[in-house]
Each structure stands twice: as structure tokens, then as C-alpha cells.
Amino acid sequence: MKLLDKLIIRDFLKTYFFVVLMLILVVLVLDFTEKNDVYIQNQVPSAEILRYMGNYGLYLNNLLTPITVFISVIFITSKMAGRTEIIAILSSGVSFVRLLRPFLMGAALIGAVSFYLNGWVLPAATEGVTVFRLVYLDKGAPNTEQNIHIKVGENSYAYLNRFYKTSNSGFTFTLETIKDGKLLAKLSADRIEWDTAKNSWTLRNWRLRELKDRKEVWTVGEAKDTVLSIVPEDFGVPEKHHETLKLPQLSRQIKTLEARGADNVEFYKIERYVRFMSPFAALILTFIGVIMSARKTRGGSGFQIAMGFLMAFVYILLFILSRTFAENGSEYPIFSVWLPNIVFGLLGLILYKTVPR
């Protein structure tokens, strides 16, 4: 059986990489055809286009993994069933669980590679795609951010009317401390500047209003150094910033946001849940794929592959819906993220009752 294990793993991985390559190439060609006029109009360098396509290909690989794993398993297993190889293997005394072993070993290898890509490679690729679209397709990034609201502490909220990225300075700054719905202090400044030598902020023309025992205490000054739990990089954070952080960076960002009491920390936590959940999808879908295609059917392998596409798309749709539900305030976000694996895992156990013996 060891020789058969090697053959199954080899065919499984070979088919997986072939399906991945074909799907990615098709999507990249369609994407290039759609954007070719924009590339010419904006005079985008060929090297930048190739770099973008490479990054986008890595992103697609992660997105299409459930489909490619499922289709590869069904293609290999249905061919074996069509040639009555599975019947011969089971008739020789090999259990179905033992037959599953090489498929699950191949899926575990794919899952391990997927975990590494999700944690350390894909974030850089996602950032590259975002920067390319911003610079070459959306006519460059703005140098200013307007009307910024950010939570800098458990009870502290900052506001900036305008922030300039090039000079790391902003105008009309306000820092309010609010507890139990009551304003305790309000610090205002006409201008705020980042001091790179001190790693702190300098307030210009500042005013501090403190409410103590039903009295107001006012303090004013021309310049004041202050330490806030924010840095210039926290301004102008892209919409999907959590997807561009490597796994260690993501964990550190979660700790930073939790220390601030920031409201958007859940997006970063959900991203970490997803990165640990995704590799298990390869194992679960492989398990279901082998069960679905282990029996020879009248429809042939074409019908089984079509069913594989349908099941994979259902999984992706359920994953998107569950993640959206988690990001929109689910009481148990980790359960919502794991819901697709739980549902398909239970489905696999139910289908296991129908496998040939």
C-alpha cells in the first residue's frame, strides 16, 4: 500500500498544481484584458504590471484553494473508481479509512503551505496589489486625510480636521476624555506635529479644559510635548489593513488596539481566526471529495467534477457570509468564522455512511 500511497499523493498534488495554474492563468488573462487600456493610458511600466500579476496570482491561489483541492480530489478519485481500482483495493481487505490516508496526507501538505502563505507571504502580495491599484489605476494616493476620528485609549478619543502625510503634521486637533458619558477633559491644539527624534507629538497653540468638581480649569500654552498611543502610520490606514499584515504583525496590532480600547480590533481578530481556520478546509473538503467520488456512477467523472465545483462554490459562499456576519458584530465571531468547516465537517460524517465497503 505504500507504493499506492506515493502514487495517489503524487497524482493528487500534480493535479492540484495543474488546476491552480490553469484557473489563475485564466483569471489573470481576463484581468489583463480588462485593464489593458488603462495600462496604456496611464503608461504603466511592464515590470510593475508583471509584479502586480504575480501578487494577484498569489491572492487568487488563496481564494481558489477550496475549489482546486475539491476538484483535484474528485478528478483523481473518480478516475480510480471508473477503472474499478477502488473496488479492487477495498476487496483486498484495505479499509476505506486506510484508503483515505494518502489523500489526507496530500491535503495536510497543501494546508501547511497555505498556512505559511496566509501568514507570511500573502499579506505582502495583498499590499502590493493595493499599492499598484492606488498608484497606477486610481491616480495615486492622496497626501492628506480629512476629518479623522480615532480611539486612542479606553476613554480617550482624538479628532483631526486634516493630516498631511508628507510632513507628519495635522491641524485642528482635539483629544477628549469621556467616562460614563461625561466629559472629563478636552485638549485642543491648532497644530500637531510628530517629532521623530523624541517619538512623541508636539502640540502648537494648545488649550486644556478640565472639569473637576463642577469647576472648569483652563490651561493654555504655545508648545507642549505629549505621548499618545498613536503614530503617523495610524492615519490613512487602508480599508483592509488587517489583510496586509503578517501573522506576527497582526498579533502585535491586536495587542496595540486592545490597549487603546479601539472599536475596530474585531476585524484584526477575525482575520487571525481566518488564517488558522483556512488550512483545515483542505482536509475537510478532501474528505468529502473522496467520499462523493469513490463510487462509480452513470454520470461519469464529468458529473462528479461538476458536483465538486458546486460544493466548492457553496463552501466559498458560506465562508463569505459567515465572515461578513462575524465582522458585523456577531456575539461569537470565532464560531461564525469556523461555521463553514463545522457544517462541511458534519456533512462529511453523514456522507461517510454511504461509502462503499
Side-chain angles (χ1 to χ4, degrees), residues 204-221:
R204 305 291 184 185
N205 297 327
W206 59 273
R207 301 165 297 279
L208 176 61
R209 176 194 177 197
E210 297 177 282
L211 302 177
K212 299 180 180 179
D213 300 327
R214 299 182 180 180
K215 295 181 181 180
E216 293 188 10
V217 178
W218 284 86
T219 311
V220 298

Side-chain angles (χ1 to χ4, degrees), residues 32 36 39-40 44-54 132:
F32 178 80
N36 189 38
Y39 294 156
I40 297 174
V44 182
S46 300
E48 294 297 328
I49 297 176
L50 292 175
R51 187 178 295 110
Y52 160 73
M53 295 180 70
F132 178 86

